[in-house]
Amino acid sequence: MSGVDGIDDFDIDRAIEQAWSEFGARLAEVLSMVDESGDLTIGTPTGDGAPDSWVRFSSPARDRVRAVAGVAAGRTQTEQVDALAADGWERCDPSGADAPGLEHLRAECAQEESETLAEQAVRALRDVFGVQHPVFLAPDQLAEVLQPEVAETTEPTPPSTNGSTGAVLEPARLPRRGTPIEVDPDDLNATLPDGPGHLSRLVDAELTSMYGHPPYRDNEGDVAIRVGSTMLFLRTSGDGKEVTVFAAVVHDVSGRSRAAEVVNDLNVESRWVKFQLVRDRVFASISVLAQPFVPAHLHQAVRVLSDVADGIDEDLAAKLDGRTTF
């Protein structure tokens, strides 16, 4: 993988673990300030029409904070209830008009111990409800909780310059030469960033416009974007001249030689997306020039890579005897 992309040092497992850690810390901060005036509900949307489980936080009394988990009905409901009970949650009667079939469990502590309750809630969301990354939680309820403290001030970490070498699926499922890309005239205004920090703010503003909520940018400068059942990541270069949109589409591939052949064939078929083999993972990426930064280019890159990452990961994993991200 070429050094300019800087994603050869990217470890998705580490990124997910860090995201949950940051999410828990931010949640603890929010819980330490919650009062009787309102509740905070964190949903776990399934995306397939099934009822959602959730965790709802409130302050039942001064200097107390409570979490109530609503476990949606389904074949895993009993297992999830048992797992929560084993982690210290207690069954309780629901308050309010909740969806029928929900099981309710409660955990409560002094507000000065909010960090403990936040960690308990993270385990419920991640380990019991199976949410893979905080970006898969309901974003309309998490605008503050999802944002790390450093999102506005920290410069992105300059990417690594270590190199790595960079395979045949259905050609129709890849962007081909001649494929039309629609452009919104309002997104054609160009801005010349005065550095990586400025570029990151421009990117965040566009992603907020695209998705209706601020993006999740970790303290290494990477943005995580939910796309269907998979994820994209976005990184601005250390010199502020490039934005790389990328996704780890296959993990634990068997046979690097065979994988390198498949990756090479994919690159022949694909117009804009570059496929790269990094150790035992296959990445798909698009590089967006940012001098000047044109919003339409970012919109196009995210849309194209979204279609590819969400469209070929299962077939590619089967071909390479690997696994998809989730």
Side-chain angles (χ1 to χ4, degrees), residues 200-214:
S200 293
R201 292 190 292 273
L202 292 172
V203 168
D204 287 355
E206 286 307 314
L207 293 176
T208 299
S209 175
M210 292 169 67
Y211 294 101
H213 58 87

Side-chain angles (χ1 to χ4, degrees), residues 20 23 27 40-47 51-57 125 129-147 211-214 216 226:
W20 278 115
F23 174 85
L27 177 60
L40 168 67
T41 301
I42 300 178
T44 62
T46 61
D52 301 338
S53 297
W54 43 258
V55 178
R56 181 172 298 145
F57 300 94
L125 295 167
F129 295 150
V131 180
Q132 300 99 334
H133 188 285
V135 296
F136 286 87
L137 297 166
D140 57 325
Q141 299 160 342
L142 296 172
E144 289 190 37
V145 179
L146 276 175
Q147 280 298 314
Y211 294 101
H213 58 87
Y216 182 93
R226 174 183 178 179

Side-chain angles (χ1 to χ4, degrees), residues 180-262:
I181 291 290
E182 297 180 0
V183 177
D184 186 337
D186 293 337
D187 295 329
L188 295 177
N189 296 323
T191 302
L192 188 65
D194 59 12
H198 186 198
L199 176 58
S200 293
R201 292 190 292 273
L202 292 172
V203 168
D204 287 355
E206 286 307 314
L207 293 176
T208 299
S209 175
M210 292 169 67
Y211 294 101
H213 58 87
Y216 182 93
R217 185 182 288 276
D218 63 29
N219 61 13
E220 293 185 358
D222 294 332
V223 174
I225 304 172
R226 174 183 178 179
V227 181
S229 61
T230 189
M231 293 176 63
L232 303 185
F233 291 87
L234 183 150
R235 175 176 290 185
T236 52
S237 64
D239 58 8
K241 296 182 178 180
E242 179 184 10
V243 179
T244 301
V245 185
F246 61 98
V249 291
V250 180
H251 306 255
D252 302 329
V253 302
S254 299
R256 284 184 54 86
S257 297
R258 170 58 178 159
E261 293 176 2
V262 175

Side-chain angles (χ1 to χ4, degrees), residues 11-146:
D11 185 330
I12 191 169
D13 298 324
R14 180 188 66 200
I16 291 173
E17 183 63 30
Q18 180 191 60
W20 278 115
S21 177
E22 293 171 355
F23 174 85
R26 185 70 178 122
L27 177 60
E29 180 180 350
V30 172
L31 295 182
S32 70
M33 297 181 290
V34 72
D35 56 30
E36 298 93 332
S37 62
D39 298 342
L40 168 67
T41 301
I42 300 178
T44 62
T46 61
D48 59 4
D52 301 338
S53 297
W54 43 258
V55 178
R56 181 172 298 145
F57 300 94
S58 62
S59 178
R62 183 178 178 85
D63 299 326
R64 298 289 296 177
V65 62
R66 173 184 296 168
V68 175
V71 186
R75 62 183 180 85
T76 62
Q77 185 183 52
T78 299
E79 290 84 350
Q80 290 181 342
V81 168
D82 290 345
L84 290 172
D87 196 31
W89 298 74
E90 298 178 350
R91 287 178 180 269
C92 65
D93 293 328
S95 58
D98 291 319
L102 282 175
E103 291 280 357
H104 297 80
L105 296 94
R106 181 178 65 192
E108 187 173 321
C109 68
Q111 198 152 25
E112 63 183 14
E113 299 172 354
S114 296
E115 183 176 348
T116 299
L117 187 62
E119 292 173 352
Q120 197 171 8
V122 166
R123 291 194 298 271
L125 295 167
R126 180 190 60 196
D127 302 332
V128 178
F129 295 150
V131 180
Q132 300 99 334
H133 188 285
V135 296
F136 286 87
L137 297 166
D140 57 325
Q141 299 160 342
L142 296 172
E144 289 190 37
V145 179
L146 276 175

